[in-house]
Every structure is written in structure tokens, then in C-alpha cells.
Amino acid sequence: MKLRCLALFLVGWFWVTPVWGHVVLADGTIGVTMHVDPDDAPVSGKPSHFSLWFKDTTGHLDPARCQGTFTVALNDQAILSQPLFAQIDTGLISVHDVTFPRSGVYTVRINGAPRGLMTFQPFLLVFSVRVTGGEDGDQTADPGLLGWVADHGTTLGLGATAGVVILWWGLRPRRPRKKVP
Amino acid sequence: MTNSQEAHKNRETASSMRRRLAGMMVSLDLVILLLVALTSGYSGADDPLVLVAIGDVYGLLAAGFLYLTLLITPLALAFPKLPAKETWFLARRGLGLSSLFFALPHALVSFFGPLGGFSGVPFLDPYTGWALALGLIGLIILAVLGATASDAAIHKFGHPRWKLLHRTVYAAGVLALVHLLLVGTHYGDPHSPWMFWSLAAVGFLVFLQAMRLDQWRARLFPKDRRFGPASLFAVFLLTWAWFWTTSPAAPESTGGVRWVTGHHGMALPAPGTPEAKP
């Protein structure tokens, strides 16, 4: 019984692995659904693929008339700046490949404004992207599982202790109730 | 001791064991929930990708516990000599509650975090919108089942009606699967290991349920064979899923971002392709 419950706990823990999802950012009537490939978890030294799907609730956003940039910065120093809708035949989709030089928290700015006549609202979307260290050429390389365990040793130790106490509480043998005469 | 007294005592023992297992599992869930949150490295509201990861971990845990909840009965019927069968049966309540326990923070973290809450709803892409709606229905079903997962509720509703209500867990399972396939970009690529192993697990469950259905038919029509039409259909589905996940990737694959092609019907360049100037 104890082994089975322990196995159940371990299976639950095994499932704790990051997977992917989407991020929605909005400025006024214009919003973007963003996904970063792979895993929504960029790694330094390896290309990350940003996919942005725009939506203007007024329906006026037109990539052909939009002048905008996709900028990535680290500590206020721009490392990359690309035209927002470089491929105008892809509708309201914008894709960008970024290779982050090293680990850190980068700031991504997506801004756009209409060329000429004001047909849609200018927008600015700013968010942070945490980049972990890759293996090659990065002095701040990801320390891996052992480093993660060392960083969170106290928390993990407390959690493991709590888990053992709960298992003991749940699986301890019960004394049969005394019969009431 | 009369037979009726003995049956009453057995029921009491089973009920006590069920409560104890449920309490233990929910307590362990709380520890896991806190561990995930505290070790995620989350540093603030402008860190959306970390929130994506936390929400997905909770979602996967919810899906995993729901899968185990659904698996126990058909597994025990298919393998009558399954060790500690009674204990597994008694653990179903705890597993179901664990699924709800993780589904709630999954919904809260994902919706109010990376998806931007109610103000983000108008900007959702269609796939995420559908996934959100189906996930919400699944969550409501799990919440109703969680609220009625007690001996008092069985007494109140009567066992047949309570059992009928709790059969909606199958609907919750289907909704969770569709939610996962729609919103998890990991599952957008049919060749990803996540897709393969998830479909293998679901296929195993579908096959066991099909065997159960065939056994039920065999009781009605004794001349039918044990592996009847439902099992054969399940095998067909599994074979199709196998070929789907193991066939070579299409050259215009968009790397799992399904709304890119799904909504606009166009393929984007693969990562690394130089972009043209406007």
C-alpha cells in the first residue's frame, strides 16, 4: 500500500514538466496572441521562433499600412529590431526568429502605427522573456537539474518532509475500535 | 454477527478508508501545488511565460489524475486479479478530487495570467477560445462531481441517481482531451512525443472501455465473442493514431502553432527562413 501511494506521488511528480501555451497581450483595441517555439522557454544560443497573431476588435488593422517594429532588448540595450509585418502576405500574422546571445530577462517591444492616415490605433505591447542558458559559449549556462535542486533545496526538503508526514498519517495502521459494552 | 451487521461493518470500513485516502491525496496535492509554485522562479506579473509553464503543469496534473480516475474501473474489470483492486476502487474519490484540485489553479493561473483575464477574451485566437470554453465546461463538471463526492451526497441523491451524475466524469474526460489537443501547442505537432504517448494512454483506456462494452453486449447476447465490435473499432482507432503520429512530418509543418494554418489557411516559413523586406 505504501509503495503504491509512493508510486502515485512519483507519477504525479513525473508529470511536472513544462509544456506550451499561449500568451495574450493587448493595448486598447489591438491584441496579440503570442507563442514562442520551442516550449515557450527560450534558450540562449538557439533560435527561438516568435509567432504573433494580431486582432483588432475594430477590424481596421492592416499589415500593409502598418509601420511597426519587433524589438528585443537586454538591460535597455537593443539586440534586435525587425519590421513587424515583414511578410505582408501572411495576414495578421507576424513571425520572428531570435537567437538570444546569453541568459537573462529580455524585454520584447511590439509597436505599430498606421502609415499616413490614422486608420487604426497605434499600439505598444511590452513583455519580459526569461531566457535560460544554453550549453555552448554561454558563461551563464543553465546549471541543470542539480543546480535547480541546489537552488531550491530548502523548499524541496520541506516539501519532501511534508510528503512523508502525510503518507505516514494516511497509511499508519489503525487500532480497532473498542467495543462499547 | 449477522450478515447484515457484517455488511454494515464492511461498508463503514470502506467508507473510512475512502475518506482517509482522499484526505491523504488532497494533502499531497497541496504540497505538490506549493512546490510547483515556489520552485517555478516566478518573479512578477510581466513574466508571462513562467505563468504559462505553471498553468500547464497544473493542467497536466489535473489531466493525469482524471485519467487515473477513469482508468481504474475498466482496468479492474479487464484484469480481475489486479493487486489491491479494492484499494484502487476506494482511491477513485481521492483521484477525482485531486483532478479538481489541480484543475482550479490551472484555470485561474492560465486565464488571469497569460491569457489576460476577461479583458483578453476579445483577442483570443479561435482555437484558444474554443479550448477555453470546453475546458470551462469540463471544470464545471469536475466541480459538481467534487461537491457531490461524499457519502452524504450518495444518501441524499440515492445511489442510482448519484451514479448517473458521476458518469458525467466521462464527458469531463473527453472535454479535457479536446481542450488539451486544442490549446496545448505541444499537441499541435502530431509527431511530438507528448502527442504519441498521450494518444497511447488514451488508446489504452478506449480499448479497455471497448472491452467493457463488449462484455456488456456479450451478457445480453451470449453468442457474441468477447472481443466484439467495440474492441475491434478501438483497435482500428489505435492503429490510425499510430500511423498518424509516426508518419513523416509534412514539409510545410508550422512547428505546432496550429492557429497559424488553421485560421488563415496559409503556411508560414519554417524557423530560420530569412524574412523578406516589405
Side-chain angles (χ1 to χ4, degrees):
Chain A
M1 181 65 197
K2 286 180 185 177
L3 278 176
R4 278 193 296 275
C5 288
L6 187 65
L8 193 69
F9 180 78
L10 289 175
V11 165
W13 190 245
F14 173 75
W15 277 83
V16 181
T17 308
V19 290
W20 305 355
H22 292 318
V23 175
V24 176
L25 304 153
D27 181 8
T29 62
I30 293 174
V32 61
T33 307
M34 181 194 74
H35 169 68
V36 187
D37 206 16
D39 292 348
D40 270 334
V43 177
S44 66
K46 293 178 181 173
S48 297
H49 189 65
F50 283 72
S51 305
L52 311 166
W53 183 77
F54 285 84
K55 185 176 178 183
D56 183 355
T57 51
T58 63
H60 290 135
L61 177 61
D62 179 4
R65 293 177 178 278
C66 178
Q67 188 172 25
T69 52
F70 174 89
T71 311
V72 180
L74 178 64
N75 301 327
D76 292 333
Q77 277 195 319
I79 62 155
L80 175 107
S81 184
Q82 294 176 349
L84 189 57
F85 291 104
Q87 293 169 301
I88 54 171
D89 60 338
T90 54
L92 292 171
I93 296 165
S94 174
V95 290
H96 302 274
D97 287 317
V98 182
T99 302
F100 295 98
R102 58 194 172 96
S103 59
V105 180
Y106 289 75
T107 305
V108 177
R109 283 187 177 82
I110 301 164
N111 70 297
R115 293 177 208 266
L117 288 173
M118 192 69 81
T119 48
F120 62 88
Q121 170 218 307
F123 57 90
L124 172 64
L125 305 162
V126 184
F127 59 95
S128 299
V129 172
R130 186 175 304 194
V131 177
T132 53
E135 290 168 359
D136 303 325
D138 185 359
Q139 297 301 312
T140 57
D142 193 357
L145 181 65
L146 284 177
W148 178 80
V149 170
D151 284 350
H152 302 287
T154 313
T155 312
L156 292 173
L158 283 172
T161 309
V164 169
V165 170
I166 290 165
L167 282 173
W168 170 80
W169 168 77
L171 303 175
R172 72 186 192 279
R174 297 289 162 111
R175 289 177 190 165
R177 284 180 185 174
K178 286 179 183 173
K179 284 182 183 175
V180 180
Chain B
M1 190 182 283
T2 64
N3 284 344
S4 133
Q5 279 175 324
E6 197 166 342
H8 180 72
K9 192 185 167 191
N10 285 343
R11 270 201 303 275
E12 285 292 312
T13 311
S15 184
S16 160
M17 181 73 171
R18 192 181 287 119
R19 275 198 301 272
R20 192 149 54 108
L21 284 172
M24 186 186 74
M25 284 183 203
V26 172
S27 306
L28 281 176
D29 295 341
L30 182 64
V31 173
I32 295 173
L33 182 121
L34 289 173
L35 277 180
V36 171
L38 293 173
T39 59
S40 65
Y42 176 65
S43 62
D46 61 344
D47 209 347
L49 297 184
V50 176
L51 283 177
V52 168
I54 296 174
D56 284 343
V57 168
Y58 290 153
L60 273 176
L61 282 164
F65 281 118
L66 185 58
Y67 178 78
L68 290 175
T69 311
L70 290 170
L71 185 67
I72 288 172
T73 305
L75 193 69
L77 290 173
F79 302 99
K81 290 182 181 174
L82 186 75
K85 198 165 75 172
E86 282 74 23
T87 312
W88 284 112
F89 270 112
L90 295 175
R92 283 182 305 177
R93 182 180 293 177
L95 290 169
L97 286 172
S98 296
S99 180
L100 173 65
F101 190 91
F102 284 109
L104 278 170
H106 161 69
L108 292 173
V109 170
S110 301
F111 183 70
F112 291 103
L115 295 181
F118 292 106
S119 59
V121 170
F123 303 106
L124 290 175
D125 68 276
Y127 279 88
T128 310
W130 274 108
L132 209 70
L134 296 177
L136 180 66
I137 298 170
L139 179 65
I140 291 169
I141 293 175
L142 282 182
V144 170
L145 298 187
T148 55
S150 64
D151 295 342
I154 299 174
H155 287 303
K156 191 177 175 184
F157 286 100
H159 194 259
R161 272 201 294 178
W162 182 87
K163 200 171 175 182
L164 196 65
L165 174 69
H166 276 248
R167 287 227 163 114
T168 53
V169 72
Y170 294 108
V174 172
L175 289 169
L177 179 67
V178 178
H179 173 77
L180 201 69
L181 294 176
L182 276 177
V183 84
T185 39
H186 225 98
Y187 292 86
D189 179 9
H191 309 287
S192 75
W194 278 93
M195 177 67 96
F196 178 80
W197 289 110
S198 299
L199 282 181
V202 171
F204 180 59
L205 178 61
V206 169
F207 180 68
L208 290 179
Q209 291 286 11
M211 280 178 67
R212 196 178 168 191
L213 191 66
D214 285 335
Q215 283 173 5
W216 173 76
R217 278 191 78 250
R219 277 200 298 274
L220 286 181
F221 310 101
K223 286 182 180 176
D224 270 12
R225 302 170 92 178
R226 186 184 170 91
F227 288 91
S231 302
L232 285 174
F233 183 64
V235 168
F236 166 75
L237 277 180
L238 287 175
T239 314
W240 172 75
W242 174 275
F243 279 110
W244 186 47
T245 54
T246 55
S247 60
E252 68 272 18
S253 169
T254 54
V257 189
R258 73 183 69 83
W259 43 260
V260 170
T261 49
H263 186 64
H264 296 270
M266 61 184 70
L268 287 176
T273 308
E275 290 176 328
K277 295 277 180 195

